[in-house]
Amino acid sequence: MSDTIQETKTGEFSADVDLSCARAPVGLLAELTHRCPLQCPYCSNPVELERVNTELSTEDWKRVMREAGELGILQIHLSGGEPTARRDLEEIVEEAAKAGLYTNLITAGVLLKRERLEKLRDLGLDHVQLSIQDVDAENANRIASYKGGAEKKHEVTKWVRELDMPLTINAPIHRQNIDNLPAIIDYAVKVGAGRLEVAHIQYYAWALKNRAALMPTKEAFMKTAEIVNEAKERLKGILVIDFVVPDYYAKYPKPCMGGWGRGIINVTPSGKVLPCHAAESLPGLEFDNVRDRSLSDIWLKGQAFEKYRGTDWMKEPCKSCPRKEIDFGGCRCQAFALTGDAANTDPACSLSPMHEEWAQVATEESHTETPEFIFRRMGSTPANAG
Ligand code: SF4
Ligand code: FES
């Protein structure tokens, strides 16, 4: 028996399919391009950005949308880089809507025009998620290294609401904007967002390079938790706030991606299918491409998806831990970046033998003088960036 769509939906699987993936992924993160006019130093894209001449064609992306719908995926997150840099975004959105997917545009907003947004809405775009760097425009534009960005984003918030579309504001929080959190919450209410993501930086890829420039002190982090709790209570029915804590100050890690190969598929601009956006940093994984293999086949049997799916791959202390099916041992990419073995317990976990040493790094770096950012640029490396 093969892994056809119907079989996926009805849950009838052959013996060669791991039953821990016997449900469709909930979401697909489509990195349509790595091109972006902004240069945020905490970008979640890989440090080696994919170039425009490797990007999937319009027809390839349209097929991905159809295959995602057939696989039973519910939500498509159109991301980048900056997804509006793709001139064929309209065609991709239209195909996604036809495939029955809930479409979310994750955008920095600065390339958008009102007419284009309206057209995207009319073609089926369901939701806009707009990232902001700060409410202080000068600081925001410095962090993004983009003049006039904050002002443009503000215009976009107005268009989204005028066009009667739901709006989420995504606000990455770090030591260079953390004091403005109360104003960021007020801003989200003012512009009519239904949801605000107060997202402390997760330290992979570009953010890992910029860790000392971004890491808040533990005291500052604790204060944000208080501010968010108070605001959640006060703004019930007005604004939903999602709070992403920084791993370095947590007791247990988060189940990164909801667990490896359990709920999310990431497709890169060139069509590589990854279990998480940073998976290419791990050695020994083979990434299939949507040009060669169907999404459902990759999801069910792809080597990279099977490698850390479930719990069989775990070592101690995760292996015998009662939380192993809650957090799935944390983040594989962080475990590899910090311990050299992706199967190790994520050092974010207080049960990891490396936890104390690792948490100390955050304390030290958050108290050092703030270094210059290494901005996200094509070909930017610590040696030549800045
Ligand atoms: Fe999670 Fe592993 Fe830590 Fe247990 S030991 S809490 S499974 S990361
Ligand atoms: Fe790859 Fe967490 S970012 S598993």
Side-chain angles (χ1 to χ4, degrees):
M1 183 167 131
S2 69
D3 55 331
T4 63
I5 305 320
Q6 233 176 356
E7 286 156 353
T8 304
K9 283 187 171 163
T10 56
E12 296 165 24
F13 290 96
S14 60
D16 65 337
V17 169
D18 176 356
L19 287 180
S20 61
C21 64
R23 57 180 191 182
V26 178
L28 185 145
L29 182 70
E31 290 177 7
L32 298 183
T33 177
H34 280 166
R35 286 170 284 150
C36 183
L38 271 56
Q39 302 176 21
C40 304
Y42 44 71
C43 180
S44 64
N45 288 158
V47 175
E48 290 297 326
L49 296 164
E50 291 183 359
R51 296 190 179 265
V52 61
N53 58 5
T54 67
E55 287 179 9
L56 291 180
S57 68
T58 308
E59 286 313 310
D60 285 333
W61 275 120
K62 285 168 74 171
R63 184 168 40 77
V64 170
M65 297 303 128
R66 289 194 295 275
E67 289 184 2
E70 289 162 359
L71 177 55
I73 288 174
L74 300 176
Q75 301 163 349
I76 185 102
H77 303 282
L78 300 161
S79 174
E82 175 48 49
T84 59
R86 291 267 320 202
R87 286 203 212 128
D88 54 2
L89 181 61
E90 286 82 345
E91 285 177 72
I92 297 169
V93 164
E94 188 175 23
E95 198 71 18
K98 271 197 219 151
L101 299 162
Y102 184 88
T103 51
N104 175 28
L105 180 67
I106 301 180
T107 180
V110 300
L111 302 179
L112 265 174
K113 292 200 165 47
R114 193 185 190 285
E115 306 72 60
R116 191 174 192 206
L117 187 60
E118 186 166 6
K119 183 158 184 212
L120 287 167
R121 182 202 60 178
D122 293 345
L123 289 169
L125 182 65
D126 291 301
H127 181 272
V128 177
Q129 179 176 320
L130 183 76
S131 60
I132 62 167
Q133 282 68 27
D134 198 350
V135 282
D136 172 338
E138 197 181 322
N139 196 37
N141 295 340
R142 181 184 67 85
I143 292 166
S145 193
Y146 189 86
K147 211 170 154 199
E151 295 79 356
K152 180 67 199 281
K153 284 165 188 269
H154 186 60
E155 251 183 292
V156 173
T157 64
K158 289 191 207 153
W159 301 337
V160 175
R161 298 308 295 133
E162 281 164 19
L163 293 169
D164 207 17
M165 301 177 78
L167 172 68
T168 292
I169 297 283
N170 169 259
I173 300 294
H174 47 85
R175 73 187 278 188
Q176 302 202 37
N177 67 1
I178 198 164
D179 294 338
N180 284 341
L181 179 58
I184 290 171
I185 295 171
D186 291 348
Y187 180 76
V189 174
K190 188 176 123 196
V191 299
R195 184 175 287 268
L196 169 67
E197 290 181 357
V198 175
H200 277 279
I201 300 293
Q202 306 297 303
Y203 293 94
Y204 321 117
W206 291 93
L208 189 56
K209 287 185 178 303
N210 283 293
R211 190 174 57 191
L214 296 165
M215 183 70 74
T217 62
K218 186 162 190 180
E219 298 70 42
F221 157 65
M222 297 299 283
K223 200 165 160 208
T224 62
E226 275 171 37
I227 292 167
V228 166
N229 283 340
E230 182 279 322
K232 274 186 174 176
E233 200 52 43
R234 177 168 48 88
L235 297 170
K236 260 189 192 152
I238 299 170
L239 181 72
V240 175
I241 306 180
D242 294 328
F243 187 48
V244 181
V245 306
D247 282 341
Y248 284 71
Y249 297 136
K251 187 171 178 198
Y252 296 117
K254 61 184 178 309
C256 197
M257 310 306 287
W260 186 272
R262 288 188 83 239
I264 307 284
I265 292 190
N266 190 128
V267 182
T268 74
S270 68
K272 280 180 269 180
V273 185
L274 316 179
C276 78
H277 55 273
E280 286 176 280
S281 64
L282 304 184
L285 296 184
E286 292 156 27
F287 300 111
D288 294 291
N289 196 295
V290 291
R291 287 177 168 124
D292 314 318
R293 214 173 158 183
S294 74
L295 262 190
S296 66
D297 197 28
I298 298 172
W299 169 252
L300 291 167
K301 298 187 206 148
Q303 185 266 1
F305 281 83
E306 291 197 322
K307 179 84 179 172
Y308 299 112
R309 187 175 258 150
T311 54
D312 289 350
W313 55 270
M314 285 180 173
K315 298 181 179 178
E316 293 296 348
C318 293
K319 201 177 179 62
S320 53
C321 178
R323 287 182 58 87
K324 71 180 177 185
E325 293 197 359
I326 298 173
D327 60 37
F328 295 92
C331 174
R332 306 288 42 88
C333 301
Q334 185 153 268
F336 176 73
L338 301 163
T339 75
D341 183 350
N344 278 341
T345 298
D346 183 344
C349 178
S350 51
L351 302 174
S352 157
M354 290 194 62
H355 181 75
E356 286 308 316
E357 184 190 330
W358 178 75
Q360 190 56 27
V361 167
T363 308
E364 280 163 22
E365 290 189 352
S366 63
H367 286 92
T368 56
E369 199 178 324
T370 314
E372 293 290 308
F373 284 139
I374 298 166
F375 287 102
R376 173 222 197 259
R377 289 175 190 150
M378 284 275 177
S380 178
T381 66
N384 65 4

